């Protein structure tokens, strides 16, 4: 496997991760509107905990949440891109990508103290959270499949 193959897979994955993040954002925003809840601040709270930050106000915290959400989702796309270098089917890649990103959330966020352990969430919340991450992994994989079908990398160079 050439370094260019790895670099291309990462670059294409980042693009696909952006697509996946957009799909997840759309679904979670619609879900929040239907349920009458505000946007999640959990991404900001995690960054605040890790880096010992204190945003100046609610608006700054929401901006931090948005930047973190988009950056984190886009970055996880690199993992999806690297999975294209395996012999796994697209369905298996999507399932593994889902498991990795959702598993990381379920371990990391309670450990940081920004959400309770998953056993305290309730079935409905677990299901909704899983669904959001299924949308992310599915959309990311679909974007990667579209790139694969073109036979060209996404970058110009």
């Amino acid at each position: 496997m050439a370094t260019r193959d790895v670099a291309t897979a990462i670059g294409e994955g980042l693009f696909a991760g952006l697509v996946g993040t957009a799909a997840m954002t759309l679904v979670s925003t619609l879900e929040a509107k239907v349920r009458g809840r505000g946007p999640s601040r959990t991404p900001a709270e995690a960054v605040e905990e890790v880096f010992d930050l204190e945003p100046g106000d609610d608006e700054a915290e929401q901006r931090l949440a948005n930047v973190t959400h988009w950056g984190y989702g886009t970055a996880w796309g690199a993992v999806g891109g690297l999975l294209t270098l395996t012999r796994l089917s697209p369905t298996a890649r999507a399932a593994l990508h889902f498991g990795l990103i959702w598993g990381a959330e379920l371990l990391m966020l309670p450990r940081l103290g920004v959400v309770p352990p998953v056993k305290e969430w309730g079935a409905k919340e677990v299901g909704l959270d899983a669904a959001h991450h299924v949308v992310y992994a599915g959309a990311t994989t679909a974007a990667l499949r579209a790139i694969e079908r073109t036979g060209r990398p996404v970058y110009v160079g």
Side-chain angles (χ1 to χ4, degrees), residues 19-29 69 129 132-133 135-136 139:
V19 171
T21 303
M24 181 182 189
T25 302
L26 176 65
V27 168
S28 63
T29 301
H69 167 75
D129 195 62
H132 294 166
H133 288 84
V135 167
Y136 169 84

Side-chain angles (χ1 to χ4, degrees), residues 7-100:
T8 298
I10 290 170
E12 291 172 354
L14 292 171
F15 173 79
L18 182 64
V19 171
T21 303
M24 181 182 189
T25 302
L26 176 65
V27 168
S28 63
T29 301
L30 291 172
E31 176 262 319
K33 287 188 186 302
V34 166
R35 294 179 69 202
R37 68 168 178 83
S40 174
R41 294 180 182 267
T42 304
E45 292 167 357
V47 169
E48 291 165 21
E49 185 65 29
V50 170
F51 295 104
D52 194 27
L53 296 175
E54 187 61 44
D57 56 28
D58 285 346
E59 190 175 301
E61 185 173 58
Q62 194 56 56
R63 281 194 309 269
L64 179 59
N66 284 331
V67 167
T68 302
H69 167 75
W70 284 91
Y72 188 75
T74 299
W76 265 101
V79 174
L82 289 170
L83 290 173
T84 65
L85 301 176
T86 70
R87 296 180 190 269
L88 295 172
S89 71
T91 302
R93 292 188 328 235
L96 179 56
H97 198 199
F98 162 77
L100 291 169

Side-chain angles (χ1 to χ4, degrees), residues 125-148:
E125 293 306 315
V126 170
L128 285 169
D129 195 62
H132 294 166
H133 288 84
V134 165
V135 167
Y136 169 84
T140 300
T141 299
L144 286 164
R145 289 292 292 142
I147 293 166
E148 287 174 325

